[in-house]
Amino acid sequence: DGGITQSPKYLFRKEGQNVTLSCEQNLNHDAMYWYRQDPGQGLRLIYYSQIVNDFQKGDIAEGYSVSREKKESFPLTVTSAQKNPTAFYLCASSSGQGSNEKLFFGSGTQLSVL
Amino acid sequence: GDSVTQMEGPVTLSEEAFLTINCTYTATGYPSLFWYVQYPGEGLQLLLKATKADDKGSNKGFEATYRKETTSFHLEKGSVQVSDSAVYFCALNSNDYKLSFGAGTTVTVRA
C-alpha cells in the first residue's frame, strides 16, 4: 500500500542531544513537509521541500534542520538549539501540483525530553 | 498573512445530535479550503475540500460550503456517531504549497 511512514513512533531526547525523525513516502510525491503539533495550537510548518535537493524554512524553523537527498525521504533533525522540543511531529507529502492538492500525513512521532 | 480561526472546543455531543464547527479565514486572493480530521494517535486525513466560492465539499455525511462573502467554511453533520469523535482542523491554501491550519476542535460523541 502507498503511504507515508514515520519512525519512531515515540522518541526521547536528552539535554544537548540531536535527534533525527524519519519520514519515508512511496507515493512518488514531489513535495514533503514537516509540521509540529502542540496542544491547542494546531499545526505549525517547520520546513518544506518542493523537489529533491531543495527545501525552504517554514514558520518555526529555528532549532531544526532537514535534508532532501532522495525523493522518498525527508528526515528532520531536532538540534540541541531547540529549547522546547516536546511535541507531536507530523510529516506530510503532496503531488505538488497546486494549492488545491491534499496532503497525505504520516502517523506522527511523539518527541519528549528526558 | 493567511490565517484560519475555528471555534474552540472541546465539543461534547450525544449520538445523533447535529454538529457545527465554525471556521473563518483571512487570505489574499482566492484560497482553497479544507477540513482535515485526526483520530487519536494518528496523522491527519483529508475530510473534504472546496476550491472556489459557493462550492460545497462533502464526505461521510459531513458538509461545508465555501462562503466568500462571510469568509467562512463551517463544518456540519446532521447526525453524529461515536466514531466521529476526533480533532477537526480547518485549513486554507492560497498561492503556494503551504497549508495554514486552525487550532483544531476536539469533538467527543457519547453513546
Side-chain angles (χ1 to χ4, degrees), chain A residues 9 33 35 37 40-43 45 48 50 88 90 96-103 105-107, chain B residues 32 34 36 38 41-46 49 51 89 93-99 101-104:
Chain A
K9 192 168 180 66
Y33 312 79
Y35 286 89
Q37 184 177 14
Q41 293 192 42
L43 277 68
L45 183 65
Y48 66 104
Q50 297 175 12
F88 191 55
L90 286 162
Q97 296 301 311
S99 62
N100 63 350
E101 291 297 313
K102 75 174 188 179
L103 265 60
F105 283 85
S107 297
Chain B
S32 294
F34 306 81
Y36 281 82
Q38 183 179 33
E42 298 183 8
L44 279 68
Q45 305 172 25
L46 179 67
K49 72 176 184 181
T51 58
F89 293 91
N93 191 331
S94 55
N95 292 311
D96 57 23
Y97 297 91
K98 299 184 294 180
L99 275 179
F101 285 89

Short mmCIF file of all heavy atoms in Angstrom, two decimals, chain A residues 9 33 35 37 40-43 45 48 50 88 90 96-103 105-107, chain B residues 32 34 36 38 41-46 49 51 89 93-99 101-104:
data_model
loop_
_atom_site.label_atom_id
_atom_site.label_comp_id
_atom_site.label_asym_id
_atom_site.label_seq_id
_atom_site.Cartn_x
_atom_site.Cartn_y
_atom_site.Cartn_z
N LYS A 9 7.79 5.91 16.54
CA LYS A 9 6.50 6.45 17.00
C LYS A 9 6.71 7.31 18.25
O LYS A 9 6.04 8.32 18.44
CB LYS A 9 5.52 5.31 17.30
CG LYS A 9 4.10 5.79 17.49
CD LYS A 9 3.14 4.61 17.49
CE LYS A 9 1.71 5.07 17.69
NZ LYS A 9 1.24 5.88 16.58
N TYR A 33 6.67 17.78 3.72
CA TYR A 33 6.51 18.81 4.75
C TYR A 33 6.75 18.22 6.13
O TYR A 33 6.47 17.04 6.36
CB TYR A 33 5.08 19.37 4.73
CG TYR A 33 4.54 19.74 3.38
CD1 TYR A 33 4.06 18.77 2.51
CD2 TYR A 33 4.50 21.07 2.97
CE1 TYR A 33 3.56 19.11 1.26
CE2 TYR A 33 3.99 21.41 1.73
CZ TYR A 33 3.54 20.43 0.87
OH TYR A 33 3.03 20.77 -0.36
N TYR A 35 5.48 19.25 10.05
CA TYR A 35 4.68 20.09 10.92
C TYR A 35 4.93 19.70 12.38
O TYR A 35 5.16 18.54 12.69
CB TYR A 35 3.19 19.93 10.64
CG TYR A 35 2.71 20.59 9.37
CD1 TYR A 35 2.72 19.91 8.17
CD2 TYR A 35 2.24 21.89 9.39
CE1 TYR A 35 2.27 20.51 7.00
CE2 TYR A 35 1.78 22.51 8.23
CZ TYR A 35 1.80 21.81 7.04
OH TYR A 35 1.35 22.42 5.89
N GLN A 37 2.95 19.79 16.09
CA GLN A 37 1.62 19.93 16.69
C GLN A 37 1.75 20.03 18.19
O GLN A 37 2.28 19.12 18.85
CB GLN A 37 0.73 18.74 16.31
CG GLN A 37 -0.68 18.88 16.81
CD GLN A 37 -1.58 17.74 16.38
OE1 GLN A 37 -1.10 16.70 15.92
NE2 GLN A 37 -2.88 17.92 16.51
N GLY A 40 -3.72 22.58 21.49
CA GLY A 40 -4.40 23.87 21.41
C GLY A 40 -3.81 24.86 20.43
O GLY A 40 -4.30 25.98 20.32
N GLN A 41 -2.77 24.45 19.70
CA GLN A 41 -2.13 25.39 18.77
C GLN A 41 -2.22 24.94 17.32
O GLN A 41 -1.69 25.58 16.45
CB GLN A 41 -0.66 25.59 19.12
CG GLN A 41 -0.45 26.30 20.44
CD GLN A 41 0.98 26.74 20.63
OE1 GLN A 41 1.62 27.24 19.69
NE2 GLN A 41 1.51 26.55 21.81
N GLY A 42 -2.84 23.86 17.05
CA GLY A 42 -2.90 23.41 15.67
C GLY A 42 -1.54 22.98 15.17
O GLY A 42 -0.65 22.63 15.93
N LEU A 43 -1.39 23.01 13.86
CA LEU A 43 -0.14 22.58 13.23
C LEU A 43 0.65 23.80 12.75
O LEU A 43 0.09 24.72 12.15
CB LEU A 43 -0.44 21.69 12.02
CG LEU A 43 -0.69 20.23 12.28
CD1 LEU A 43 -1.99 20.01 13.04
CD2 LEU A 43 -0.73 19.45 10.97
N LEU A 45 4.15 24.90 10.51
CA LEU A 45 5.07 24.39 9.49
C LEU A 45 6.51 24.65 9.89
O LEU A 45 6.90 25.79 10.17
CB LEU A 45 4.77 25.04 8.15
CG LEU A 45 5.57 24.56 6.96
CD1 LEU A 45 5.28 23.09 6.65
CD2 LEU A 45 5.27 25.44 5.74
N TYR A 48 9.63 22.72 4.48
CA TYR A 48 9.01 22.01 3.39
C TYR A 48 9.97 21.93 2.21
O TYR A 48 10.90 22.74 2.09
CB TYR A 48 7.67 22.63 2.98
CG TYR A 48 7.73 24.01 2.39
CD1 TYR A 48 7.59 24.21 1.01
CD2 TYR A 48 7.87 25.13 3.21
CE1 TYR A 48 7.61 25.49 0.47
CE2 TYR A 48 7.90 26.41 2.67
CZ TYR A 48 7.77 26.58 1.31
OH TYR A 48 7.80 27.85 0.77
N GLN A 50 9.89 21.20 -2.05
CA GLN A 50 9.07 21.02 -3.25
C GLN A 50 9.71 20.06 -4.25
O GLN A 50 9.04 19.56 -5.15
CB GLN A 50 8.83 22.37 -3.92
CG GLN A 50 8.04 23.34 -3.05
CD GLN A 50 7.91 24.71 -3.68
OE1 GLN A 50 8.22 24.90 -4.84
NE2 GLN A 50 7.47 25.68 -2.91
N PHE A 88 4.31 16.73 19.10
CA PHE A 88 3.97 15.67 18.16
C PHE A 88 4.36 16.17 16.77
O PHE A 88 3.94 17.26 16.37
CB PHE A 88 2.46 15.39 18.24
CG PHE A 88 2.00 14.17 17.54
CD1 PHE A 88 2.54 12.93 17.81
CD2 PHE A 88 0.97 14.25 16.61
CE1 PHE A 88 2.10 11.79 17.17
CE2 PHE A 88 0.51 13.11 15.96
CZ PHE A 88 1.07 11.88 16.24
N LEU A 90 4.57 15.76 12.69
CA LEU A 90 3.87 15.14 11.57
C LEU A 90 4.57 15.44 10.26
O LEU A 90 4.89 16.60 9.96
CB LEU A 90 2.43 15.65 11.49
CG LEU A 90 1.49 15.09 12.55
CD1 LEU A 90 0.25 15.95 12.66
CD2 LEU A 90 1.10 13.66 12.22
N GLY A 96 2.32 18.21 -5.20
CA GLY A 96 2.97 19.48 -5.50
C GLY A 96 2.46 20.14 -6.76
O GLY A 96 3.14 20.95 -7.37
N GLN A 97 1.23 19.77 -7.14
CA GLN A 97 0.70 20.31 -8.40
C GLN A 97 -0.11 21.58 -8.22
O GLN A 97 -0.59 22.14 -9.19
CB GLN A 97 -0.18 19.23 -9.07
CG GLN A 97 0.60 18.00 -9.47
CD GLN A 97 1.72 18.33 -10.43
OE1 GLN A 97 1.52 19.02 -11.42
NE2 GLN A 97 2.91 17.85 -10.13
N GLY A 98 -0.30 22.02 -6.99
CA GLY A 98 -1.04 23.26 -6.83
C GLY A 98 -1.66 23.39 -5.46
O GLY A 98 -1.59 22.49 -4.63
N SER A 99 -2.29 24.53 -5.24
CA SER A 99 -2.78 24.85 -3.90
C SER A 99 -4.02 24.07 -3.51
O SER A 99 -4.41 24.10 -2.36
CB SER A 99 -3.06 26.35 -3.81
OG SER A 99 -4.09 26.71 -4.72
N ASN A 100 -4.68 23.38 -4.46
CA ASN A 100 -5.86 22.63 -4.06
C ASN A 100 -5.58 21.14 -3.88
O ASN A 100 -6.51 20.34 -3.74
CB ASN A 100 -6.98 22.83 -5.08
CG ASN A 100 -6.60 22.29 -6.45
OD1 ASN A 100 -5.46 21.94 -6.67
ND2 ASN A 100 -7.56 22.21 -7.33
N GLU A 101 -4.30 20.78 -3.87
CA GLU A 101 -3.95 19.39 -3.68
C GLU A 101 -3.96 19.04 -2.20
O GLU A 101 -3.51 19.81 -1.36
CB GLU A 101 -2.56 19.12 -4.24
CG GLU A 101 -2.50 19.20 -5.75
CD GLU A 101 -3.38 18.16 -6.42
OE1 GLU A 101 -3.31 16.99 -6.00
OE2 GLU A 101 -4.13 18.52 -7.31
N LYS A 102 -4.44 17.85 -1.89
CA LYS A 102 -4.48 17.45 -0.49
C LYS A 102 -3.13 16.94 -0.05
O LYS A 102 -2.32 16.48 -0.85
CB LYS A 102 -5.55 16.40 -0.26
CG LYS A 102 -5.21 15.00 -0.74
CD LYS A 102 -6.30 14.03 -0.33
CE LYS A 102 -5.92 12.61 -0.62
NZ LYS A 102 -6.98 11.66 -0.19
N LEU A 103 -2.93 17.02 1.27
CA LEU A 103 -1.74 16.47 1.89
C LEU A 103 -2.04 15.08 2.43
O LEU A 103 -3.13 14.82 2.95
CB LEU A 103 -1.28 17.36 3.05
CG LEU A 103 -0.19 18.39 2.74
CD1 LEU A 103 -0.65 19.35 1.67
CD2 LEU A 103 0.22 19.13 3.99
N PHE A 105 -0.70 12.50 5.29
CA PHE A 105 0.07 12.58 6.52
C PHE A 105 0.53 11.22 7.00
O PHE A 105 -0.17 10.20 6.82
CB PHE A 105 -0.77 13.23 7.63
CG PHE A 105 -0.89 14.72 7.51
CD1 PHE A 105 -1.87 15.28 6.70
CD2 PHE A 105 -0.05 15.54 8.22
CE1 PHE A 105 -1.98 16.65 6.59
CE2 PHE A 105 -0.15 16.92 8.13
CZ PHE A 105 -1.13 17.48 7.32
N GLY A 106 1.69 11.19 7.65
CA GLY A 106 2.11 10.03 8.39
C GLY A 106 1.42 9.97 9.74
O GLY A 106 0.61 10.85 10.08
N SER A 107 1.72 8.94 10.52
CA SER A 107 1.06 8.74 11.81
C SER A 107 1.72 9.50 12.96
O SER A 107 1.23 9.45 14.08
CB SER A 107 1.04 7.25 12.16
OG SER A 107 0.27 6.55 11.22
N SER B 32 -7.98 27.82 -1.56
CA SER B 32 -8.69 26.56 -1.43
C SER B 32 -8.87 26.30 0.06
O SER B 32 -8.00 26.63 0.87
CB SER B 32 -7.88 25.43 -2.06
OG SER B 32 -7.77 25.60 -3.45
N PHE B 34 -10.08 23.55 3.28
CA PHE B 34 -10.07 22.13 3.61
C PHE B 34 -10.55 21.91 5.04
O PHE B 34 -10.40 22.77 5.91
CB PHE B 34 -8.63 21.57 3.53
CG PHE B 34 -7.91 21.82 2.24
CD1 PHE B 34 -7.32 23.04 1.97
CD2 PHE B 34 -7.82 20.81 1.28
CE1 PHE B 34 -6.64 23.27 0.78
CE2 PHE B 34 -7.14 21.03 0.09
CZ PHE B 34 -6.56 22.25 -0.16
N TYR B 36 -9.64 18.79 7.70
CA TYR B 36 -8.92 17.57 7.98
C TYR B 36 -9.41 17.01 9.32
O TYR B 36 -9.82 17.76 10.22
CB TYR B 36 -7.41 17.82 8.07
CG TYR B 36 -6.71 17.94 6.74
CD1 TYR B 36 -6.73 19.14 6.03
CD2 TYR B 36 -6.04 16.85 6.18
CE1 TYR B 36 -6.10 19.25 4.81
CE2 TYR B 36 -5.41 16.95 4.96
CZ TYR B 36 -5.43 18.14 4.28
OH TYR B 36 -4.80 18.25 3.06
N GLN B 38 -8.39 14.23 12.56
CA GLN B 38 -7.32 13.47 13.21
C GLN B 38 -7.93 12.57 14.27
O GLN B 38 -8.46 13.06 15.28
CB GLN B 38 -6.29 14.41 13.83
CG GLN B 38 -5.10 13.70 14.45
CD GLN B 38 -4.10 14.67 15.04
OE1 GLN B 38 -4.45 15.73 15.54
NE2 GLN B 38 -2.81 14.31 15.00
N GLY B 41 -4.04 9.38 18.16
CA GLY B 41 -2.77 8.74 17.88
C GLY B 41 -2.40 8.62 16.42
O GLY B 41 -1.45 7.92 16.07
N GLU B 42 -3.13 9.30 15.57
CA GLU B 42 -2.87 9.18 14.13
C GLU B 42 -2.53 10.53 13.51
O GLU B 42 -2.63 11.57 14.14
CB GLU B 42 -4.10 8.60 13.42
CG GLU B 42 -4.45 7.20 13.88
CD GLU B 42 -5.63 6.65 13.09
OE1 GLU B 42 -6.06 7.28 12.11
OE2 GLU B 42 -6.12 5.58 13.47
N GLY B 43 -2.14 10.48 12.23
CA GLY B 43 -1.95 11.70 11.48
C GLY B 43 -3.29 12.23 11.00
O GLY B 43 -4.34 11.70 11.33
N LEU B 44 -3.23 13.29 10.21
CA LEU B 44 -4.45 13.90 9.70
C LEU B 44 -4.89 13.25 8.39
O LEU B 44 -4.06 12.80 7.61
CB LEU B 44 -4.23 15.40 9.45
CG LEU B 44 -4.32 16.34 10.65
CD1 LEU B 44 -3.18 16.11 11.62
CD2 LEU B 44 -4.33 17.77 10.17
N GLN B 45 -6.20 13.25 8.17
CA GLN B 45 -6.74 12.77 6.90
C GLN B 45 -7.64 13.86 6.33
O GLN B 45 -8.36 14.51 7.09
CB GLN B 45 -7.60 11.52 7.10
CG GLN B 45 -6.97 10.37 7.80
CD GLN B 45 -7.99 9.29 8.11
OE1 GLN B 45 -9.02 9.17 7.45
NE2 GLN B 45 -7.71 8.49 9.12
N LEU B 46 -7.60 14.01 5.02
CA LEU B 46 -8.49 14.97 4.40
C LEU B 46 -9.94 14.49 4.54
O LEU B 46 -10.26 13.36 4.20
CB LEU B 46 -8.16 15.14 2.93
CG LEU B 46 -9.05 16.12 2.17
CD1 LEU B 46 -8.84 17.54 2.68
CD2 LEU B 46 -8.80 16.04 0.67
N LYS B 49 -12.99 19.19 0.87
CA LYS B 49 -12.37 20.43 0.43
C LYS B 49 -13.29 21.17 -0.52
O LYS B 49 -14.24 20.60 -1.08
CB LYS B 49 -11.03 20.16 -0.25
CG LYS B 49 -11.14 19.51 -1.62
CD LYS B 49 -9.76 19.35 -2.26
CE LYS B 49 -9.88 18.81 -3.68
NZ LYS B 49 -8.54 18.62 -4.32
N THR B 51 -12.74 24.44 -3.57
CA THR B 51 -11.68 25.23 -4.21
C THR B 51 -12.14 26.58 -4.73
O THR B 51 -11.31 27.39 -5.14
CB THR B 51 -11.05 24.44 -5.36
OG1 THR B 51 -12.08 24.10 -6.29
CG2 THR B 51 -10.39 23.17 -4.86
N PHE B 89 -9.68 19.93 11.94
CA PHE B 89 -8.88 21.10 11.60
C PHE B 89 -9.39 21.73 10.31
O PHE B 89 -9.53 21.05 9.29
CB PHE B 89 -7.41 20.71 11.37
CG PHE B 89 -6.69 20.24 12.59
CD1 PHE B 89 -6.67 18.90 12.93
CD2 PHE B 89 -6.02 21.14 13.41
CE1 PHE B 89 -5.98 18.46 14.05
CE2 PHE B 89 -5.33 20.71 14.54
CZ PHE B 89 -5.32 19.37 14.86
N ASN B 93 -5.20 27.15 1.73
CA ASN B 93 -4.01 27.25 0.92
C ASN B 93 -4.30 28.28 -0.16
O ASN B 93 -5.22 28.08 -0.94
CB ASN B 93 -3.66 25.89 0.30
CG ASN B 93 -2.29 25.88 -0.32
OD1 ASN B 93 -1.80 26.91 -0.78
ND2 ASN B 93 -1.67 24.74 -0.36
N SER B 94 -3.52 29.37 -0.18
CA SER B 94 -3.84 30.43 -1.13
C SER B 94 -3.01 30.33 -2.41
O SER B 94 -3.53 30.02 -3.47
CB SER B 94 -3.66 31.80 -0.47
OG SER B 94 -2.38 31.93 0.08
N ASN B 95 -1.72 30.58 -2.35
CA ASN B 95 -0.97 30.68 -3.60
C ASN B 95 0.29 29.83 -3.66
O ASN B 95 1.04 29.93 -4.59
CB ASN B 95 -0.60 32.14 -3.87
CG ASN B 95 -1.83 32.96 -4.17
OD1 ASN B 95 -2.64 32.57 -4.98
ND2 ASN B 95 -1.97 34.08 -3.49
N ASP B 96 0.53 29.04 -2.65
CA ASP B 96 1.75 28.24 -2.71
C ASP B 96 1.48 26.87 -2.12
O ASP B 96 0.34 26.43 -2.08
CB ASP B 96 2.92 28.94 -2.02
CG ASP B 96 2.60 29.28 -0.57
OD1 ASP B 96 1.72 28.62 0.02
OD2 ASP B 96 3.21 30.20 -0.04
N TYR B 97 2.52 26.21 -1.69
CA TYR B 97 2.38 24.84 -1.26
C TYR B 97 2.11 24.70 0.23
O TYR B 97 2.06 23.61 0.75
CB TYR B 97 3.64 24.07 -1.61
CG TYR B 97 3.88 23.99 -3.10
CD1 TYR B 97 4.64 24.95 -3.75
CD2 TYR B 97 3.33 22.96 -3.85
CE1 TYR B 97 4.84 24.88 -5.11
CE2 TYR B 97 3.53 22.88 -5.21
CZ TYR B 97 4.28 23.85 -5.83
OH TYR B 97 4.48 23.78 -7.19
N LYS B 98 1.95 25.80 0.95
CA LYS B 98 1.84 25.73 2.39
C LYS B 98 0.40 25.84 2.84
O LYS B 98 -0.29 26.79 2.51
CB LYS B 98 2.66 26.84 3.03
CG LYS B 98 4.15 26.78 2.71
CD LYS B 98 4.91 27.85 3.45
CE LYS B 98 4.53 29.24 2.98
NZ LYS B 98 5.30 30.28 3.71
N LEU B 99 -0.02 24.89 3.64
CA LEU B 99 -1.33 24.95 4.27
C LEU B 99 -1.23 25.73 5.57
O LEU B 99 -0.29 25.53 6.34
CB LEU B 99 -1.84 23.55 4.58
CG LEU B 99 -2.58 22.78 3.49
CD1 LEU B 99 -2.96 21.41 4.01
CD2 LEU B 99 -3.81 23.51 3.04
N PHE B 101 -3.22 26.09 9.09
CA PHE B 101 -4.21 25.33 9.85
C PHE B 101 -4.79 26.17 10.98
O PHE B 101 -4.12 27.01 11.58
CB PHE B 101 -3.56 24.10 10.48
CG PHE B 101 -3.28 22.99 9.50
CD1 PHE B 101 -2.08 22.95 8.81
CD2 PHE B 101 -4.21 21.99 9.29
CE1 PHE B 101 -1.82 21.92 7.91
CE2 PHE B 101 -3.95 20.95 8.40
CZ PHE B 101 -2.76 20.93 7.71
N GLY B 102 -6.05 25.88 11.30
CA GLY B 102 -6.63 26.38 12.53
C GLY B 102 -6.12 25.58 13.71
O GLY B 102 -5.37 24.61 13.55
N ALA B 103 -6.54 25.96 14.90
CA ALA B 103 -6.02 25.34 16.13
C ALA B 103 -6.61 23.96 16.39
O ALA B 103 -6.12 23.24 17.25
CB ALA B 103 -6.28 26.25 17.32
N GLY B 104 -7.65 23.61 15.69
CA GLY B 104 -8.27 22.29 15.90
C GLY B 104 -9.40 22.36 16.91
O GLY B 104 -9.35 23.14 17.87
#
